[in-house]
Amino acid sequence: MTAAGRIALGAACAAILAFLFIPVAIILTYAFAASNIQSWPIAAFSLKWFPETWANGEVRAALGLSLEVAATATAIAVVLGTLAAMAVHRMRFFGREVVSFALVLPIALPGVLTGMALNSYFVFWGIDLSFWTIIIGHATFCLVIVYNNVIARLRRLPGSLVEASLDLGAGPWRSFRRITLPMIASAVGAGALLAFALSFDEVIVTTFTAGAQTTLPLWIFGAIRLGQRMPEVNVVVFAVIAITIIPVLLAQRLMGAAGRLHK
Amino acid sequence: MPATWFCACYLAALAALFVSAFRRVDTMTGEILPVWTLANFRILATDPVYRTVALRTIGIAAAVTITDAILAWPFAYAMARAVGPRLRAVLMALVMLPLWSSYLARVYAWRLILAHDGALNWALHAIGLPRASIGYSNWAMWIVFSYLWLPFMILPVFAALERIPDSVLEASGDLGARGATTLRRVLLPMALPGIVAGSIFTFSLTLGDYVTPMLVGGPGSDFIGNVVYASVGVSNNIPFAAAYAVLPLLVMAGYLLIARRLGAFEAL
Amino acid sequence: MRRKAERWATLAAALLLPALQGQAIAASPGMLQQIGPGEGTLNIVAWEGYAQDDWVKPFEQQTGCHVNRKYAGSSDEMVALMRSGGGNQYDLVSASGDATLRLIYGHNVQPINLALIPAWQHFIPQLKSANFNTVRGVHYGVSYEWGPNVLLWNTQKLQPAPDSWSVIYDKAHAGQITVPDNPIQIADAALYLASKQPDLGITDPYELTEKQMDAVVALLKQQRSLIKKYWALASDEIDLFKNGDVVVGAAWPYQTNTLKAAHVPVADTLPKEGVTGWADTWMLSAKAPHPNCAYRWINWVTTPKVQAQQALYFGETPANTLACKEMDALQAGSCSQYHADAPASYFDQIRFWKTPRTECGNGKDDCLDYSVWQRKWQEIKG
């Protein structure tokens, strides 16, 4: 690539990064704004929102619930998604195409549809909306993300390795554990990370599948209406980013390293 | 197998929803009457407002998809082919980071930027340009949606570009193609599955959203999702909402079929 | 099956009531007879500004009932929430008059045992057994507070002070107007046309024939091109005024108070064509999971002190007449400012929200019901 090309590319990337992060920067800055109604520019700065938000029991409860939901949904998604990917990849069973297509639906279909359908379904069967209905709602798209990542990786792997392992006398479980699993680990990890992030921030499906429970996004929606406490929302986002930035970076480094071994 | 059983439940829920599209609801009590009727579909077909809303939704979804594809391309290319592994990991983390900062908070940040006395007009005023009045409008929605789903487009395009072996590009160069030609005839077609995969996200996420139109939309900005939400969450007319929801379902089904043809499923 | 049983029970109760005419308060079977210990939790659906920490925190401390709040932006949302998930998600709802009858006829709420609500004796007469929360003598809720829908404007950018609704239909302010995103807003336009085009014959803004509705819809479609944004949440309107996007609009006094507290130069008024308003009722869900906490809440928020706090915070008027003194204690002159001591004639001139039905007051049956209003509203918005 020419030097001019490199500069142009670099500039384009910088612009796009700026585009991605200016709103985030605004959120972080407004965590320090004194006024409870957001307006530009900030008239006065204040640190008062930090202790207030931390003292707010509802925030901590919502944050905790969101973490629990995301973790559980991701865990379910990892197990079921990996199994499904392996099944679809290896076996030829009737309706395979349909299953494959259906497994894209939760992501491809608008969240309001999934939410409505699940809501009606739960009501019909008399299932009370609760923690578990939220999980089910989230697990649908988390599963799809993990499934897609894993199956994409499986398609790129040579099947001969597993065959060789089986020929050499290792049972299917052992072959899976020592051959397949390490090879798909980074794909599973990437899928799990994305699924966790999506579940953590999900608001549309959750609106329909949550009863009186409040996840963080639902709390944020409420906080905006509760006497105009937008700065509390900004503080929460600030805290979440501060906490997640290091693990996300580390995870990317690890998966990048693992992924390269199998290019 | 548990995943199939899960699948079946999900599909059953969807099916039940669409069956209800053929029912009516009693306005006073809100109960779904056990009467088969095509009234909902008739209203949707004849009343022009629903056509307008549908076209607006699909139109903006398409615009957002194209915008994101254009924006994602240089970034994904740089990440895949022009930087070292350490920087790549950093860029990847940076792309994912906005996903952790609450959808709602980001949309509110845009409201602040695009407001009449907001950051954008402040900047325009500072450099002597006239104020823009795009705060609550379709333009605002286009910008915000493109912003929100950009990471979802960057990731699959990056994955697709990363997979292209260096040898192919070298061969293209050896055969006498210059940069632009290689781009057009080698890179783009090979990355197309990734672009289409990303477009599934951007298109469907825009198609079904009702929160952003509510927050940054203007008077004529209602999406299919808003009408559905208004019918379900507000007027409790689930059959009508289900009937209208058939449209995005059909659109996405069609889109997915085309996407599969173009190999996007391999690239998700 | 259970729903049918409930229906019979309510019918039986209603039939028995004439026999119980002598009693001041009617008791129905299935109602709580005595307030027991709290269940520890309370789930309420409320308007923004109706469950502020100022009175929620003391309540939680005194009763041990932790309050979970869900905010709704419109009566439609409230009805949907109370019906969602089988109807047992929430205990209480602060429903306005255009939601109450729907909830009652939908069997989503249960009768209240007024013997357990001592403050009820001190309510203004019109709100003791209002026709929007009392059906055939059975009380399905306890009135809370009431207030008008006001005209709000930025005093610096709009002068002189407007006194007519015409200002929100005026091309001079194109792109700087906001009104609620709520089908019931059609009634506000109808009220305006009632005085501007008297030959339409609109007497009750909630009872509109097809011809009257067409005229109102035409006006609202004209207005649409002048609207910056239809506000769905009160916080939307607050943002719009604060950030200079709009200059005038229809609002609740809550927005005025919040903006003034944030040093935005606004003022509100009741224009000369008249105003619509809302009178809110706390209603108990038919399948409330925490009835004891719910009754405790109702008793708490009907005390004069809390009624005054709520009234001043939101900018509305208490149902409890004893609250007048408390209001003046918190803010001198507020009792008369918010008409808490106003004569019945003032109350009667506000057109309170009610659900449009096909039955017109004049004995005819050709008015349009609410589902038509909802479709028309969507048509107006486009």
Side-chain angles (χ1 to χ4, degrees):
Chain A
M1 197 187 306
T2 64
R6 287 197 92 85
I7 294 176
L9 189 63
C13 286
I16 289 170
L17 272 180
F19 180 58
L20 277 179
F21 278 91
I22 285 180
V24 177
I26 287 186
I27 297 173
L28 298 178
T29 322
Y30 273 79
F32 299 96
S35 168
N36 64 345
I37 302 178
Q38 290 195 140
S39 71
W40 179 275
I42 298 182
F45 286 89
S46 161
L47 283 175
K48 72 179 181 201
W49 298 106
F50 281 86
E52 271 193 49
T53 313
W54 181 245
N56 188 339
E58 283 182 7
V59 177
R60 296 208 302 274
L63 188 59
L65 183 66
S66 272
L67 286 172
E68 264 188 76
V69 166
T72 318
T74 308
I76 295 177
V78 161
V79 171
L80 289 184
T82 318
L83 284 176
M86 289 190 19
V88 172
H89 180 71
R90 284 226 305 242
M91 302 190 258
R92 303 202 163 272
F93 54 87
F94 178 74
R96 181 183 174 205
E97 285 293 298
V98 175
V99 169
S100 193
F101 185 79
L103 280 171
V104 185
L105 280 181
I107 291 271
L109 282 185
V112 68
L113 274 179
T114 310
M116 254 169 57
L118 288 174
N119 183 300
S120 314
Y121 195 69
F122 293 140
V123 170
F124 182 71
W125 287 108
I127 304 173
D128 275 345
L129 296 181
S130 68
F131 176 73
W132 287 105
T133 53
I134 304 178
I135 301 266
I136 294 177
H138 286 212
T140 53
F141 56 80
C142 289
L143 196 153
V144 169
I145 293 173
V146 175
Y147 167 82
N148 281 318
N149 266 38
V150 174
I151 206 165
R153 173 64 60 85
L154 281 174
R155 287 200 180 111
R156 283 193 278 155
L157 293 178
S160 48
L161 285 174
V162 177
E163 281 178 30
S165 162
L166 289 171
D167 285 343
L168 287 170
W173 171 244
R174 200 137 172 248
S175 302
F176 171 75
R177 203 164 45 94
R178 297 189 116 220
I179 307 285
T180 324
L181 197 55
M183 290 200 287
I184 61 173
S186 69
V188 173
L193 198 63
L194 188 58
F196 192 92
L198 283 185
S199 162
F200 193 72
D201 195 25
E202 216 289 324
V203 66
I204 295 182
V205 174
T206 319
T207 312
F208 288 96
T209 53
Q213 295 81 27
T214 315
T215 57
L216 193 63
L218 290 180
W219 175 83
I220 291 177
F221 221 177
I224 290 168
R225 306 163 88 158
L226 168 60
Q228 316 305 310
R229 294 178 84 85
M230 194 70 210
E232 277 195 37
V233 175
N234 294 334
V235 168
V236 171
V237 173
F238 189 95
V240 168
I241 290 190
I243 294 173
T244 55
I245 189 168
I246 305 288
V248 167
L249 187 56
L250 278 176
Q252 290 298 336
R253 292 273 294 268
L254 283 171
M255 286 185 308
R260 256 176 311 121
L261 288 173
H262 310 292
K263 204 152 175 215
Chain B
M1 222 229 327
T4 338
W5 175 85
F6 199 83
C7 226
C9 272
Y10 176 75
L11 288 173
L14 276 181
L17 180 71
F18 289 111
V19 163
S20 77
F22 293 94
R23 309 279 213 189
R24 250 179 348 122
V25 76
D26 180 313
T27 36
M28 209 43 169
T29 66
E31 286 176 40
I32 297 182
L33 300 170
V35 171
W36 293 105
T37 169
L38 285 174
N40 292 320
F41 291 102
R42 206 178 323 126
I43 296 174
L44 288 173
T46 52
D47 204 332
V49 74
Y50 300 108
R51 208 175 309 144
T52 315
V53 170
L55 286 174
R56 180 188 304 139
T57 314
I58 295 174
I60 293 188
V64 167
T65 303
I66 296 174
T67 312
D68 274 345
I70 296 176
L71 286 178
W73 178 261
F75 199 86
Y77 181 83
M79 253 175 42
R81 314 212 72 89
V83 297
R86 207 178 302 170
L87 189 53
R88 184 176 304 143
V90 170
L91 287 180
M92 191 68 151
L94 283 180
V95 165
M96 295 264 293
L97 206 60
L99 297 178
W100 291 92
S101 36
S102 175
Y103 168 98
L104 287 169
R106 283 180 288 157
V107 178
Y108 267 89
W110 272 106
R111 252 171 58 144
L112 198 59
I113 296 173
L114 298 174
H116 184 267
D117 296 341
L120 179 67
N121 282 346
W122 174 83
L124 288 175
H125 185 69
I127 57 178
L129 287 173
R131 288 192 147 93
S133 178
I134 54 176
Y136 295 93
S137 64
N138 290 341
W139 290 105
M141 292 206 295
W142 169 63
I143 293 176
V144 176
F145 275 127
S146 301
Y147 169 78
L148 288 170
W149 315 136
L150 188 55
F152 290 104
M153 178 65 94
I154 291 179
L155 292 175
V157 175
F158 161 73
L161 282 173
E162 190 198 27
R163 236 177 280 146
I164 301 176
D166 289 330
S167 47
V168 172
L169 295 178
E170 281 176 27
S172 169
D174 288 342
L175 287 169
R178 291 228 318 265
T181 324
T182 313
L183 176 74
R184 207 166 36 99
R185 297 180 119 222
V186 179
L187 272 182
L188 219 45
M190 290 190 84
L192 190 63
I195 298 178
V196 178
S199 76
I200 293 180
F201 283 119
T202 58
F203 198 79
S204 84
L205 288 170
T206 311
L207 202 65
D209 197 275
Y210 62 82
V211 177
T212 301
M214 219 168 84
L215 294 178
V216 296
S221 298
D222 272 1
F223 268 24
I224 295 177
N226 292 95
V227 176
V228 167
Y229 181 69
S231 303
V232 173
V234 178
S235 52
N236 217 215
N237 192 345
I238 292 183
F240 188 73
Y244 204 31
V246 168
L247 183 58
L249 179 70
L250 290 176
V251 170
M252 277 322 294
Y255 200 92
L256 284 174
L257 281 172
I258 300 176
R260 191 149 70 99
R261 268 310 151 67
L262 292 170
F265 280 29
E266 322 291 313
L268 275 171
Chain C
M1 194 58 201
R2 200 170 151 204
R3 201 167 269 170
K4 228 184 175 177
E6 279 176 31
R7 207 174 290 178
W8 281 118
T10 328
L11 187 60
L15 287 172
L16 284 172
L17 276 169
L20 301 169
Q21 273 300 329
Q23 288 177 249
I25 299 162
S28 280
M31 286 191 322
L32 214 63
Q33 298 305 321
Q34 207 183 338
I35 302 182
E39 295 92 348
T41 316
L42 181 65
N43 298 328
I44 62 177
V45 176
W47 297 104
E48 294 165 77
Y50 266 36
Q52 296 304 107
D53 281 350
D54 295 356
W55 52 92
V56 166
K57 292 287 173 233
F59 171 75
E60 290 180 331
Q61 275 168 0
Q62 276 186 25
T63 61
C65 298
H66 177 75
V67 179
N68 291 319
R69 298 165 266 201
K70 178 101 180 161
Y71 293 103
S74 68
S75 292
D76 286 351
E77 261 191 85
M78 290 190 165
V79 171
L81 283 169
M82 290 307 282
R83 290 175 178 167
S84 70
N88 60 354
Q89 292 297 317
Y90 301 97
D91 301 292
L92 288 172
V93 59
S94 62
S96 296
D98 61 333
T100 47
L101 286 181
R102 284 189 275 166
L103 290 170
I104 295 173
Y105 287 120
H107 305 286
N108 307 113
V109 293
Q110 56 171 289
I112 297 272
N113 186 349
L114 289 172
L116 304 175
I117 315 282
W120 186 83
Q121 304 291 347
H122 304 289
F123 281 11
I124 59 180
Q126 298 95 323
L127 288 180
K128 274 185 171 170
S129 308
N131 62 4
F132 48 77
N133 61 25
T134 308
V135 175
R136 274 170 265 140
V138 180
H139 293 85
Y140 285 94
V142 176
S143 297
Y144 185 47
E145 311 233 355
W146 55 277
N149 290 313
V150 298
L151 178 66
L152 176 66
W153 78 94
N154 185 317
T155 49
Q156 274 181 2
K157 297 186 184 170
L158 184 60
Q159 282 153 1
D163 67 343
S164 160
W165 283 113
S166 61
V167 69
I168 62 171
Y169 301 101
D170 192 347
K171 285 199 186 57
H173 308 294
Q176 295 181 305
I177 303 176
T178 182
V179 295
D181 184 355
N182 189 342
I184 210 79
Q185 189 64 18
I186 291 177
D188 285 67
L191 194 59
Y192 173 67
L193 276 188
S195 60
K196 192 149 170 288
Q197 286 179 23
D199 45 297
L200 278 175
I202 298 176
T203 48
D204 185 328
Y206 302 98
E207 288 165 5
L208 299 175
T209 60
E210 182 119 21
K211 192 162 125 323
Q212 291 166 340
M213 177 62 93
D214 285 342
V216 175
V217 169
L219 173 67
L220 286 170
K221 279 185 174 168
Q222 264 180 354
Q223 188 196 39
R224 179 180 168 292
S225 55
L226 312 173
I227 300 269
K228 177 72 178 185
K229 181 168 174 60
Y230 289 96
W231 59 268
L233 312 171
S235 31
D236 280 346
E237 187 167 33
I238 292 171
D239 276 346
L240 286 167
F241 270 93
K242 173 94 184 178
N243 289 306
D245 285 297
V246 312
V247 150
V248 64
W252 305 328
Y254 168 66
Q255 279 88 306
T256 320
N257 289 356
T258 312
L259 284 166
K260 281 185 174 165
H263 311 294
V264 181
V266 295
D268 65 15
T269 186
L270 303 181
K272 61 185 186 214
E273 294 91 357
V275 291
T276 55
W278 25 268
D280 297 327
T281 308
W282 282 107
M283 305 185 105
L284 181 63
S285 168
K287 300 191 199 153
H290 315 104
N292 290 301
C293 275
Y295 269 92
R296 283 171 195 273
W297 172 265
I298 298 178
N299 273 324
W300 175 249
V301 298
T302 47
T303 55
K305 179 103 190 295
V306 177
Q307 288 257 304
Q309 281 179 306
Q310 169 75 80
L312 288 174
Y313 184 81
F314 199 91
E316 50 184 356
T317 314
N320 191 336
T321 48
L322 297 179
C324 181
K325 219 166 35 124
E326 298 284 347
M327 285 175 79
D328 278 336
L330 286 170
Q331 191 180 308
S334 57
C335 182
S336 43
Q337 181 190 352
Y338 292 113
H339 307 280
D341 58 352
S345 55
Y346 176 77
F347 185 90
D348 293 330
Q349 79 182 16
I350 297 187
R351 315 301 197 106
F352 289 102
W353 282 350
K354 66 180 190 198
T355 311
R357 304 170 69 183
T358 50
E359 296 92 348
C360 290
N362 52 11
K364 289 202 272 196
D365 228 14
D366 59 348
C367 282
L368 301 171
D369 78 1
Y370 192 60
S371 65
V372 179
W373 282 53
Q374 285 167 329
R375 277 221 305 281
K376 292 288 177 190
W377 184 249
Q378 185 68 57
E379 198 187 297
I380 293 165
K381 280 197 301 174

